Amino acid sequence: MPDFPRLLCYVDNLQVLRDRVGDESVDLVNLDPPFDSKRLYNVSFGGEAPTAAFDDTWKWTEETAADLAHVTEKGPPDLPGLLHELRKIAGDGMGAYLVMMSARLLELRRVLTPTGSIYLHCDPAASLYLKAVMDAVFDRDGFLNESIWKRASARSDATRWGPSTTRS
């Protein structure tokens, strides 16, 4: 049992996973990461002017390269090649996002029990790429279901269908 039950950590989860969570000690992960929405999110407290809370725009940086080196060293052999190809297809921003997610998914694989489950919440822009990364990290035979929300107010417009598909 971890030494911090019921503790909410308002920090980047990568360092907490590496430093404080033991191998095979977690039964369930509900992962709701940034989505690479390419937006700056602001927060306002008690009528004060908004302050930047989180920039969900990803760029290839030295930190990204260091994370990729770690993923290459610690991850499954097919993952670096997959990340390279996805970066070529989707661009540096999505490539950096997927490397960031890969580093965390590797740690989550380490901390999950053999019968543990992971639920990943993401948006359509990243979901297929993340599915491929998760298949490389966890094993594609472990994938059970995909859930897509159906909004009662979903309407089609001239450029795309409304988000009203459900698969399981």
Side-chain angles (χ1 to χ4, degrees), residues 39-70:
R39 291 182 48 198
L40 175 64
Y41 293 91
N42 297 315
V43 64
S44 181
F45 297 102
E48 294 179 15
T51 303
F54 179 69
D55 186 359
D56 191 18
T57 303
W58 299 90
K59 297 173 182 65
W60 198 269
T61 64
E62 289 181 19
E63 183 180 353
T64 309
D67 283 346
L68 181 58
H70 180 81

Side-chain angles (χ1 to χ4, degrees), residues 110-124:
R110 178 187 62 78
V111 304
L112 274 176
T113 62
T115 57
S117 297
I118 183 168
Y119 290 79
L120 171 64
H121 176 85
C122 60
D123 80 338

Side-chain angles (χ1 to χ4, degrees), residues 117 141-146 168:
S117 297
D141 292 335
F143 177 78
L144 296 178
N145 288 313
E146 177 181 20
S168 63

Side-chain angles (χ1 to χ4, degrees), residues 1-7 19-22:
M1 187 76 167
D3 63 345
F4 55 95
R6 298 187 188 115
L7 176 67
D19 295 344
R20 307 228 14 220
V21 184

Side-chain angles (χ1 to χ4, degrees), residues 95-128:
Y97 174 77
L98 294 172
V99 168
M100 179 275 299
M101 288 297 298
S102 295
R104 284 145 184 84
L105 290 169
L106 286 174
E107 289 300 320
L108 291 170
R109 181 187 70 182
R110 178 187 62 78
V111 304
L112 274 176
T113 62
T115 57
S117 297
I118 183 168
Y119 290 79
L120 171 64
H121 176 85
C122 60
D123 80 338
S127 65
L128 292 177

Side-chain angles (χ1 to χ4, degrees), residues 14-164:
L14 185 59
Q15 209 56 50
V16 172
L17 285 165
R18 286 179 177 162
D19 295 344
R20 307 228 14 220
V21 184
D23 295 355
E24 297 185 354
S25 64
V26 175
D27 289 316
L28 177 64
V29 173
N30 183 21
L31 187 59
D32 188 2
F35 294 163
D36 188 30
S37 65
K38 297 173 184 39
R39 291 182 48 198
L40 175 64
Y41 293 91
N42 297 315
V43 64
S44 181
F45 297 102
E48 294 179 15
T51 303
F54 179 69
D55 186 359
D56 191 18
T57 303
W58 299 90
K59 297 173 182 65
W60 198 269
T61 64
E62 289 181 19
E63 183 180 353
T64 309
D67 283 346
L68 181 58
H70 180 81
V71 165
T72 299
E73 178 186 337
K74 301 287 186 184
D78 293 340
L79 185 57
L82 173 65
L83 291 171
H84 176 74
E85 291 301 317
L86 292 176
R87 181 181 178 195
K88 282 189 348 188
I89 292 166
D92 284 350
M94 180 60 75
Y97 174 77
L98 294 172
V99 168
M100 179 275 299
M101 288 297 298
S102 295
R104 284 145 184 84
L105 290 169
L106 286 174
E107 289 300 320
L108 291 170
R109 181 187 70 182
R110 178 187 62 78
V111 304
L112 274 176
T113 62
T115 57
S117 297
I118 183 168
Y119 290 79
L120 171 64
H121 176 85
C122 60
D123 80 338
S127 65
L128 292 177
Y129 300 123
L130 286 170
K131 168 72 168 80
V133 169
M134 288 188 72
D135 283 351
V137 170
F138 289 98
D139 181 8
R140 70 185 212 178
D141 292 335
F143 177 78
L144 296 178
N145 288 313
E146 177 181 20
S147 297
I148 300 174
W149 292 32
K150 179 179 179 180
R151 299 180 190 266
S153 62
R155 301 286 184 262
S156 299
D157 66 23
T159 61
R160 66 186 289 187
W161 293 339
S164 60

